[in-house]
Amino acid sequence: MKAVMTEDEMFQAKDDEKASSDSISDSPVFDFINSLSPIATPKPLGSAQSVQLFKSSDLVPASSIFTSPQVNPQKEYKPRTRYGYAQLSQGLSPIYQRNQIGISSCIELSGSPTIASENCSPSEYATILPSKWPQPIPLGSEILGDANKQDTDGKADHSQDVGHVKLSSTCYDQNGIDQLDSSTSGRNVQENELTKQYNDDLAACSLNHLISRSGTGNAVMSKSDLSLEAQQLSWKLRSDVIFSKLFMPMDQGNLEDSRRKLFDGSTGCYIQSAADDSHVYYAGAAEGVATNHDPKMLPSVIQSQLVSNEYFFDTFKIPSDVMALSEHQCGGMYRRSLFNEKVRTSDLSGQSSSNLHHANICGDNYMKPPRSPVYALPGIGLHLNAVASNASNNKPFTINPPLPPELNSPTTIVSCSETVAVRRKLQNGDGGSCRRCSCKKSKCLKLYCACFAAKVYCSGLCSCQGLNNHTHEETVSCIRKRTESRNPLAFAPTVTRACDSGSDFGDDSNNTPASTRHKRGCNCRKSSCLKKYCECFQSGVGCSMSCRCESCKNSFGKRKGVLLLATEKMDKGAKAKGTRSKEEKLAFHKQDVVSQSGDLTSTEDLFATPSLEPCRSSILLPSTCSEPPVSTVGCSSQLHNSQSPMKADVLFSPSETCAMEPILVDGSSNIQEVSSSCTTRVKVVSPNKKRVSSLQTGTGLSPIGRSCRKLVLKSIPSFPSLTDDADSEPH
DNA sequence: GAGTTTGAAACT
DNA sequence: CAGTTTCAAACTC
């Protein structure tokens, strides 16, 4: 009883909060925002209902639904907060806070309240609570076939027998499984075994099924609808920071030149936006450096992210009346017009790509029309991997595994021709977003299957023999749930932003907004993280502390490896002892000495020693690197360039971070990092391998300072532990 | 296109 | 948790 009262108190507080928001809803600002929803939602019903999201009065008090004393709404909301809703709401507007409330409440409501309250045991409530759902509702995947679709669709199908333990769904009873099997022409022993195995999941699925069996679907928004609407708003609210980060404050005199380089696809620039922020990787390095990165040499993922001139030239033309941007605005204070967003997305949803209008991020036409139909589509928020893996393979556009809202970046590189199709696919729930898997034994029901892992259904484009399709969507749903129950990160994005973390990179507390890291880390051995076997490499990100790779040579950034840790330990030990053994000194010195020839091979060899391997600086000489783009340019490159007669390699000593990444710093706030990154124990060695100088490469020396490119190296915090992540609240 | 290699996923 | 097996993609020829 006490718990119930406590719960009531909480809901009372919630009601108060809603009441407070009601006053907000009367404000012109709210009306304005509310009128902006430009993206045509896949389901008209969802759109209509989404409006109700903002009407707190429409929200059924959660207390009327969940009476279980075990429910702790605050706790249950936490994961959602973790995924960024709260973060967004804190920083942006009370409107989104309202939305957040709506999301939380309505998602819980998506199951029939009657069912939830009458037919579920207290323990079952937890299953229905949003936190128990695999993850925040993504834009694409749900619509593209996530079995949560059944939450809405299933309402009609399963509107009967509510409360029965045994349900008629194929997913939840043995008969259904049998039917499933019989429906599969290629039924065999293995499949039977598979079925048997999956039966274990049926019980767990049944609870979720209760949600889908809501018989009162009229007043309840589906999760898809909710999420879509929420994300639309999210993107709208967040999108205006995208290009302000893309275009860092630059010296006006060099602005255009910098931009030209920035968006010159031929030089290997690409934008990555796997995370909350737009990521600009300028593979071309700083000016004067012959990086010569052939886009073809990029991993397919990255190739697809190449941003051509056309991209910006064509896609960011906007009506001047709605978006008059000046150079000044580009300099750092640009904020995209929500109106323009509306126009653009409306065009997107309804018309051909030729009608696309995109925010002219800089208002001028410094970029000439090019060839590649690749462009970024702010506002869609698809995961970069989704785009990447497809563009490179000429595959149909795929939606990546759903991302938490904070990871759904508004900026995504999407091929122009694909965009409209994608919209359409979202609306149709079409399975055309498959990954063209070739699974056989896994039946596309394990993470081996790229489609399954991406939470999309296989399609005719796949050469698989799996069951991951609409026909077996409920089974797929069950398996997904089971998979996720085993590994909560099973469907997590492989790449996520590093600023989620900050914990495991030791002293580097500078979260790099533009950096990404592989979520789980690779375990490469033979590939040295230089082939697509390596997920990090494939995703175009550097390895992090989360990785357990050996001989990491990931050109996107090596992890802070064993040596670094060892040497740090060694240093500490030496300090403690007051001396260091000759062997240690020798080994340590070995790292400092770099051939003047700039022969990377020799450098590689130098660090080929297993004991040394992981810590080699991520800096690779562009001129000698035949591998995919070196993401770490900037400082080192500047050094290299400025010391061109010497062609000296630059290594960071072990005390320096090994995971470096070029970023475009956002204004003066990060200027300090330029110098700090470039001055720390950088050693240049003469041809005769004598140390000739210890460069102090401040902004004055570096072309960075001259060009004001603001392309700098920055230490990349690697990924946080999941625990930390889960426990930490966004700031 | 077949065979091999690779590393993640799954299993024990 | 570690070792092994399975699996499908990446890679090589």
Side-chain angles (χ1 to χ4, degrees):
Chain A
M1 177 60 72
K2 182 179 179 180
V4 173
M5 293 177 65
T6 301
E7 188 181 54
D8 288 342
E9 290 173 358
M10 287 188 289
F11 287 127
Q12 178 60 46
K14 203 170 183 178
D15 290 340
D16 294 342
E17 189 176 354
K18 286 190 290 185
S20 174
S21 356
D22 283 341
S23 60
I24 299 172
S25 65
D26 296 331
S27 69
V29 175
F30 178 80
D31 292 336
F32 168 72
I33 299 289
N34 203 18
S35 66
L36 283 178
S37 177
I39 302 175
T41 53
K43 299 177 181 179
L45 180 60
S47 299
Q49 290 170 335
S50 63
V51 176
Q52 297 176 4
L53 266 179
F54 303 95
K55 298 178 181 179
S56 58
S57 60
D58 290 340
L59 299 178
V60 177
S63 56
S64 65
I65 307 163
F66 300 103
T67 57
S68 169
Q70 299 181 13
V71 174
N72 184 345
Q74 289 179 340
K75 183 176 181 180
E76 295 296 336
Y77 290 138
K78 190 172 182 179
R80 196 157 297 283
T81 300
R82 165 190 165 192
Y83 283 122
Y85 288 143
Q87 181 182 15
L88 184 64
S89 62
Q90 290 170 7
L92 291 172
S93 77
I95 286 88
Y96 196 83
Q97 290 176 354
R98 295 174 61 86
N99 203 14
Q100 179 185 357
I101 296 170
I103 290 166
S104 300
S105 300
C106 288
I107 284 176
E108 292 174 9
L109 286 170
S110 62
S112 168
T114 302
I115 295 172
S117 60
E118 295 179 3
N119 296 326
C120 293
S121 67
S123 62
E124 290 171 339
Y125 292 159
T127 304
I128 300 174
L129 287 174
S131 65
K132 296 296 181 181
W133 283 338
Q135 49 193 323
I137 303 95
L139 168 62
S141 62
E142 294 283 353
I143 301 171
L144 284 173
D146 185 285
N148 284 319
K149 177 175 175 289
Q150 71 193 42
D151 290 357
T152 51
D153 295 346
K155 288 167 187 173
D157 297 337
H158 308 290
S159 58
Q160 298 177 356
D161 296 337
V162 172
H164 290 210
V165 175
K166 184 175 181 178
L167 304 176
S168 59
S169 166
T170 56
C171 181
Y172 306 117
D173 68 7
Q174 182 61 50
N175 291 337
I177 292 294
D178 290 342
Q179 291 168 7
L180 169 71
D181 280 355
S182 62
S183 66
T184 305
S185 59
R187 179 177 180 175
N188 53 32
V189 175
Q190 187 175 17
E191 251 178 74
N192 288 334
E193 292 176 352
L194 193 65
T195 300
K196 184 178 180 179
Q197 176 185 0
Y198 297 152
N199 286 343
D200 297 338
D201 306 317
L202 299 184
C205 296
S206 63
L207 294 179
N208 290 320
H209 186 63
L210 291 175
I211 300 174
S212 70
R213 294 174 67 86
S214 166
T216 57
N218 292 340
V220 181
M221 287 185 65
S222 70
K223 292 191 293 182
S224 302
D225 295 335
L226 283 165
S227 64
L228 180 62
E229 194 69 16
Q231 291 197 1
Q232 288 171 0
L233 179 60
S234 168
W235 297 332
K236 281 188 291 185
L237 293 176
R238 295 154 66 193
S239 60
D240 43 356
V241 304
I242 298 166
F243 293 111
S244 63
K245 293 190 176 183
L246 283 174
F247 290 90
M248 311 306 168
M250 300 176 183
D251 182 289
Q252 291 298 315
N254 295 297
L255 178 62
E256 181 165 340
D257 182 58
S258 300
R259 285 184 309 204
R260 200 170 271 128
K261 292 178 179 179
L262 177 62
F263 297 112
D264 184 0
S266 63
T267 58
C269 170
Y270 66 93
I271 292 179
Q272 182 175 15
S273 61
D276 196 22
D277 306 289
S278 300
H279 300 167
V280 178
Y281 286 23
Y282 184 63
E287 54 183 293
V289 178
T291 307
N292 189 27
H293 287 124
D294 184 355
K296 292 180 180 179
M297 298 177 63
L298 296 172
S300 60
V301 169
I302 305 306
Q303 290 182 39
S304 68
Q305 297 174 36
L306 289 176
V307 181
S308 70
N309 293 340
E310 178 185 29
Y311 159 17
F312 285 97
F313 182 76
D314 286 350
T315 64
F316 290 99
K317 286 186 292 187
I318 59 157
S320 58
D321 55 333
V322 295
M323 182 60 65
L325 280 175
S326 65
E327 291 279 319
H328 172 72
Q329 286 172 300
C330 293
M333 296 302 294
Y334 166 68
R335 298 185 73 80
R336 195 177 63 197
S337 167
L338 290 178
F339 283 117
N340 190 67
E341 171 81 4
K342 182 176 182 177
V343 170
R344 186 177 64 247
T345 52
S346 297
D347 289 343
L348 272 175
S349 61
Q351 304 298 328
S352 67
S353 58
S354 61
N355 292 332
L356 296 177
H357 294 285
H358 291 268
N360 186 350
I361 47 180
C362 278
D364 57 16
N365 53 358
Y366 57 90
M367 290 159 283
K368 58 185 178 124
R371 44 221 171 92
S372 172
V374 176
Y375 71 99
L377 182 61
I380 284 187
L382 300 175
H383 192 261
L384 70 99
N385 286 349
V387 181
S389 61
N390 295 293
S392 62
N393 299 324
N394 294 324
K395 293 178 179 180
F397 184 82
T398 55
I399 304 299
N400 216 42
L403 292 174
E406 69 175 355
L407 298 179
N408 268 328
S409 171
T411 299
T412 304
I413 290 70
V414 187
S415 88
C416 186
S417 60
E418 290 168 341
T419 305
V420 175
V422 172
R423 288 274 173 204
R424 289 172 182 169
K425 286 175 183 175
L426 292 179
Q427 293 175 350
N428 298 336
D430 189 337
S433 55
C434 75
R435 303 296 178 95
R436 275 187 170 177
C437 67
S438 303
C439 305
K440 294 178 178 65
K441 296 182 178 180
S442 71
K443 297 297 175 186
C444 299
L445 292 175
K446 292 186 177 180
L447 291 173
Y448 295 128
C449 175
C451 299
F452 179 81
K455 273 192 166 181
V456 298
Y457 288 136
C458 298
S459 73
L461 297 173
C462 296
S463 57
C464 60
Q465 304 169 2
L467 306 177
N468 182 31
N469 50 44
H470 281 290
T471 305
H472 307 112
E473 65 178 39
E474 293 183 352
T475 298
V476 172
S477 176
C478 291
I479 304 305
R480 282 178 186 169
K481 288 179 172 62
R482 185 193 68 164
T483 302
E484 200 155 35
S485 67
R486 289 177 174 177
N487 176 17
L489 279 180
F491 299 104
T494 56
V495 177
T496 186
R497 62 172 186 166
C499 52
D500 287 343
S501 65
S503 62
D504 71 342
F505 211 79
D507 54 349
D508 186 0
S509 59
N510 296 323
N511 286 329
T512 307
S515 64
T516 59
R517 277 296 178 269
H518 192 259
K519 186 82 177 180
R520 289 161 288 191
C522 66
N523 192 30
C524 305
R525 288 179 174 83
K526 297 182 180 179
S527 70
S528 300
C529 302
L530 284 174
K531 295 186 178 181
K532 291 179 73 176
Y533 295 126
C534 174
E535 289 191 355
C536 299
F537 181 85
Q538 188 174 42
S539 299
V541 302
C543 292
S544 69
M545 283 296 289
S546 302
C547 299
R548 303 164 301 283
C549 47
E550 296 177 0
S551 302
C552 178
K553 297 176 182 177
N554 189 337
S555 54
F556 293 102
K558 299 170 183 58
R559 74 184 177 102
K560 184 179 180 180
V562 178
L563 175 62
L564 177 55
L565 298 176
T567 52
E568 287 178 346
K569 204 171 183 177
M570 191 187 303
D571 284 339
K572 292 179 181 177
K575 287 180 181 178
K577 295 179 181 178
T579 180
R580 184 186 291 179
S581 69
K582 292 182 180 179
E583 291 80 7
E584 288 172 339
K585 287 181 179 179
L586 185 62
F588 196 87
H589 180 68
K590 210 175 174 184
Q591 303 167 67
D592 293 344
V593 179
V594 182
S595 170
Q596 177 246 355
S597 65
D599 182 355
L600 186 61
T601 303
S602 62
T603 307
E604 297 278 356
D605 292 342
L606 185 61
F607 293 96
T609 305
S611 61
L612 297 175
E613 31 100 354
C615 188
R616 190 175 65 79
S617 167
S618 58
I619 298 168
L620 298 177
L621 289 179
S623 58
T624 59
C625 180
S626 61
E627 293 164 357
V630 181
S631 64
T632 52
V633 287
C635 178
S636 63
S637 299
Q638 306 303 334
L639 280 170
H640 188 54
N641 186 44
S642 61
Q643 304 290 330
S644 58
M646 294 178 56
K647 285 188 176 181
D649 286 351
V650 178
L651 292 181
F652 288 89
S653 70
S655 63
E656 185 60 85
T657 176
C658 286
M660 308 291 286
E661 183 170 303
I663 63 165
L664 295 172
V665 291
D666 185 9
S668 58
S669 62
N670 286 335
I671 291 297
Q672 53 182 4
E673 295 173 12
V674 175
S675 54
S676 65
S677 297
C678 298
T679 57
T680 316
R681 301 176 69 170
V682 175
K683 291 157 189 171
V684 179
V685 181
S686 69
N688 58 6
K689 299 189 177 180
K690 282 187 177 181
R691 185 176 301 168
V692 294
S693 66
S694 177
L695 293 181
Q696 298 297 318
T697 61
T699 54
L701 174 62
S702 170
I704 292 176
R706 295 197 301 266
S707 67
C708 294
R709 170 170 292 284
K710 307 296 188 293
L711 185 62
V712 299
L713 289 173
K714 188 174 181 180
S715 300
I716 299 170
S718 57
F719 253 78
S721 66
L722 294 175
T723 305
D724 294 339
D725 190 28
D727 294 338
S728 62
E729 294 290 333
H731 301 293

